[in-house]
């Protein structure tokens, strides 16, 4: 890997994660309450624990917040699909 | 259900498990470091620590991969299975420690960004003696980070089980690249290739267990779901099901759970609405099927959670003829009540 490519890679990854962290903190303490009623009563340690995942997956969560989702998606299984 | 998320749903068993895990990991590190320093007079504490953390992570990863098939082969391993996420997070922390110390030791001394230095170190992919094994380690670490960060139940619900499971199946590619990382790394060091041999043995063990458990389960599913007259499926004899427990079988593309309780038989889809927990591994508590994962409950005849809860799972029509349990393979709408089949029609009902 050339040094130029490597530094671009590091900068882009760092930028993505920094943006993610900027989103993850308000997400874990406030926004998550809108997306998932079970999380709305989540404890403080639970909220701290989801910050790393929200930092990594922030585009998905941001999309759900903007779509004003109020529940996690309901799952399809083979038995439910048959009906 | 009235659940709310905590960081960890602590109970006595989890405290004991985590205590034992921490003691084992610390004991392993202590032993590894003192043996390394004692045997090799050139070894430094930093190098011994880096190797101890890395090898500890790989041993834990091997255990994690072996636990799944072992629990399918022998129920005594099930407690390990239910605590597997704690093993996973501990393993990630060891791997992160290994990577951090290695980057500090080998890449942080110049004026180039340490990660840039790691990515640009003289790479020759054609020669095992100079192959950049660190890249494999980095790729493995990224996957482990993603899995550790999404190990909480919240992520299972947010991503849905199929996506979450797909994500966590990445543990297999992670294992492959990490085995490559350690094998190439140790080949590039002087000395006997003992780590590589141990590595091959453990990888063969994991693969063998996975294949064996998969082969055994296919046999079971086929055996249980023998098709009877009118398209109903003979699942098993009622006497084979323990009171308050279930028998599972593969029907219409998914498992069903056939419960026996108080002289009756009811059948529901095996998949818990909460997060796809295996209801057939649970039991009847206070008259309700109780999921072994987080305790969501369903009435066995209707598949509905008792009021005020609103979860519903599909039910199946069921009959008992001459002691044998037959199930209609067409699922009913979630929450549809089905008259339970009596095991001894006309006989006294047995209670739990
Ligand atoms: S999966 Fe959570 S209670 Fe069943």
């Amino acid at each position: 890997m050339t040094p130029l490519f490597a530094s671009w890679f590091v900068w882009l990854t760092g930028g993505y994660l920094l943006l993610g962290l900027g989103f993850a903190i308000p997400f874990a303490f406030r926004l998550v309450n809108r997306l998932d009623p079970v999380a709305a009563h989540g404890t403080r340690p639970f909220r701290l624990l989801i910050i790393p995942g929200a930092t990594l997956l922030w585009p998905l969560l941001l999309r759900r917040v903007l779509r004003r989702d109020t529940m996690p998606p309901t799952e399809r299984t083979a038995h439910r699909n048959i009906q | 259900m009235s659940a709310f998320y905590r960081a960890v749903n602590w109970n006595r068993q989890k405290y004991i498990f985590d205590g034992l895990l921490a003691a084992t990991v610390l004991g392993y590190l202590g032993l590894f470091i003192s043996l390394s320093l004692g045997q090799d007079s050139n070894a430094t504490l930093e190098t011994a620590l880096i190797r101890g953390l890395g090898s500890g992570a790989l041993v834990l990863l091997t255990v994690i991969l072996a636990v799944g098939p072992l629990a399918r082969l022998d129920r005594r391993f099930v407690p390990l299975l239910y605590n597997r996420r704690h093993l996973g997070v501990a393993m990630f922390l060891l791997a992160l420690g290994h990577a951090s110390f290695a980057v500090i030791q080998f890449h942080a001394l110049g004026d180039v960004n340490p990660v840039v230095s790691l990515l640009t170190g003289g790479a020759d992919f054609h020669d095992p003696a100079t192959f950049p094994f660190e890249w494999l380690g980095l790729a493995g670490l990224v996957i482990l980070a993603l899995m550790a960060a999404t190990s909480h139940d919240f992520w299972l619900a947010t991503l849905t089980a199929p996506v979450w499971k797909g994500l966590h199946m990445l543990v297999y590619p992670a294992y492959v690249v990490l085995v490559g990382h350690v094998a190439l790394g140790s080949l590039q060091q002087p000395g006997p290739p003992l780590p590589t041999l141990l590595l091959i043995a453990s990888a063969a063990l994991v693969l063998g267990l996975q294949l064996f458990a998969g082969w055994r389960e296919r046999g079971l599913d086929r055996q249980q779901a023998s098709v009877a007259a009118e398209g109903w499926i003979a699942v098993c004899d009622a006497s084979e099901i323990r009171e308050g427990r279930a028998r599972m079988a593969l029907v219409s593309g998914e498992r069903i759970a056939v419960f026996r309780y108080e002289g009756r038989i009811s059948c529901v889809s095996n998949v818990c609405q909460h997060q796809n927990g295996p209801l057939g591994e649970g039991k009847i508590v206070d008259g309700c099927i109780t999921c072994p994962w987080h305790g969501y409950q369903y009435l066995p005849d209707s598949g509905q959670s008792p009021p005020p809860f609103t979860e519903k799972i599909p039910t199946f029509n069921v009959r008992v003829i001459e002691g044998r349990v037959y199930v209609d393979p067409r699922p009913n709408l979630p929450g549809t009540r089905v008259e339970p089949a009596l095991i001894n029609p006309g006989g006294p009902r047995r209670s739990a």
Side-chain angles (χ1 to χ4, degrees):
Chain A
M1 198 181 277
T2 65
L4 184 68
F5 186 76
S7 19
W8 268 103
F9 179 77
V10 169
W11 275 106
L12 284 177
T13 313
Y16 175 86
L17 293 178
L18 248 150
L19 277 175
L21 188 64
F23 170 81
I25 294 171
F27 174 80
F29 286 95
R30 293 184 74 94
L31 297 172
V32 69
N33 299 354
R34 294 192 213 155
L35 291 190
D36 184 340
V38 185
H41 304 285
T43 61
R44 200 168 284 248
F46 154 73
R47 292 170 192 275
L48 289 173
L49 209 63
I50 61 171
I51 288 178
T55 304
L56 294 175
L57 300 176
W58 64 268
L60 168 87
L61 302 169
L62 179 63
R63 209 181 91 210
R64 289 205 186 152
V65 170
L66 294 177
R67 259 191 345 212
R68 297 181 189 277
D69 286 3
T70 53
M71 284 295 264
T74 307
E75 176 105 26
R76 308 302 305 168
T77 67
H79 290 166
R80 287 175 191 271
N81 283 343
I82 287 175
Q83 286 119 22
Chain B
M1 293 262 131
S2 63
F4 64 91
Y5 288 130
R6 302 168 204 272
V8 179
N9 289 321
W10 289 110
N11 56 30
R12 206 179 106 81
Q13 200 199 25
K14 279 208 165 69
Y15 278 123
I16 296 175
F17 184 86
D18 281 9
L20 282 175
L21 177 61
T24 311
V25 167
L26 291 176
Y28 173 84
L29 283 178
L31 198 69
F32 187 96
I33 292 171
S34 48
L35 282 179
S36 301
L37 294 180
Q39 284 193 341
D40 182 356
S41 51
N42 294 327
T44 61
L45 180 63
E46 290 85 347
T47 320
L49 185 62
I50 290 171
R51 290 187 183 161
L53 288 166
S55 60
L58 201 72
V59 171
L60 265 185
L61 182 54
T62 308
V63 172
I64 290 167
L65 290 175
V67 162
L70 281 174
R72 275 143 66 197
L73 293 170
D74 187 333
R75 293 198 57 78
R76 277 172 298 182
F77 288 99
V78 166
L80 263 183
L81 185 71
Y82 286 161
N83 289 300
R84 193 159 52 161
R85 290 189 219 181
H86 290 208
L87 286 178
V89 173
M91 180 261 297
F92 167 69
L93 292 177
L94 289 180
L96 185 66
H98 164 82
S100 309
F101 284 122
V103 167
I104 292 170
Q105 167 115 333
F106 301 115
H107 296 278
L109 300 176
D111 44 11
V112 182
N113 176 309
V115 185
V116 173
S117 153
L118 182 139
L119 291 173
T120 49
D124 181 357
F125 293 95
H126 301 105
D127 184 2
T130 53
F131 188 96
F133 67 94
E134 299 94 334
W135 290 21
L136 296 179
L138 183 64
L141 188 69
V142 169
I143 300 179
L144 298 185
L146 195 59
M147 295 199 315
T150 56
S151 65
H152 193 276
D153 278 346
F154 166 77
W155 294 108
L156 187 55
T158 299
L159 299 172
T160 71
V163 175
W164 189 88
K165 276 185 193 152
L167 188 71
H168 285 247
M169 286 302 248
L170 289 176
V171 70
Y172 294 103
Y175 187 58
V176 171
V177 291
L178 290 174
V179 165
H181 168 72
V182 179
L184 286 169
S186 78
L187 279 181
Q188 291 175 18
Q189 305 295 324
L194 188 63
T196 313
L197 295 178
L198 285 175
L199 208 63
I200 292 172
S202 66
L205 176 80
V206 168
L207 189 69
L209 277 171
Q210 295 279 357
L211 290 176
F212 183 59
W215 172 74
R216 275 264 304 256
E217 282 207 337
R218 276 174 77 107
L220 270 182
D221 281 338
R222 265 195 226 137
Q223 212 179 332
Q224 288 173 353
S226 67
V227 178
E230 296 171 48
W232 284 52
I233 289 170
V235 177
C236 60
D237 283 340
S239 59
E240 290 172 44
I241 311 175
R242 281 194 290 149
E243 177 62 29
R245 300 286 183 150
R247 201 47 200 258
M248 288 173 284
L250 188 66
V251 169
S252 303
E254 183 72 76
R255 288 192 174 185
I256 56 167
V258 181
F259 277 90
R260 171 187 173 145
Y261 57 105
E262 299 172 13
R264 289 175 284 181
I265 298 282
S266 285
C267 178
V268 295
S269 179
N270 189 45
V271 185
C272 178
Q273 188 179 337
H274 179 220
Q275 282 166 1
N276 287 9
L279 293 173
E281 291 177 21
K283 54 184 169 187
I284 305 262
V285 178
D286 298 331
C288 289
I289 297 170
T290 304
C291 178
W293 282 9
H294 319 94
Y296 272 40
Q297 291 193 307
Y298 305 90
L299 293 162
D301 55 347
S302 65
Q304 297 200 13
S305 290
F309 304 114
T310 53
E311 285 76 15
K312 290 179 189 144
I313 50 172
T315 54
F316 288 81
N317 297 344
V318 61
R319 286 189 212 156
V320 178
I321 302 169
E322 291 173 356
R324 202 144 176 76
V325 179
Y326 293 88
V327 170
D328 184 345
R330 289 157 298 186
N332 299 310
L333 282 172
T336 308
R337 184 173 186 281
V338 170
E339 190 58 37
L342 295 179
I343 297 174
N344 295 313
R349 284 184 181 178
R350 263 166 280 167
S351 57

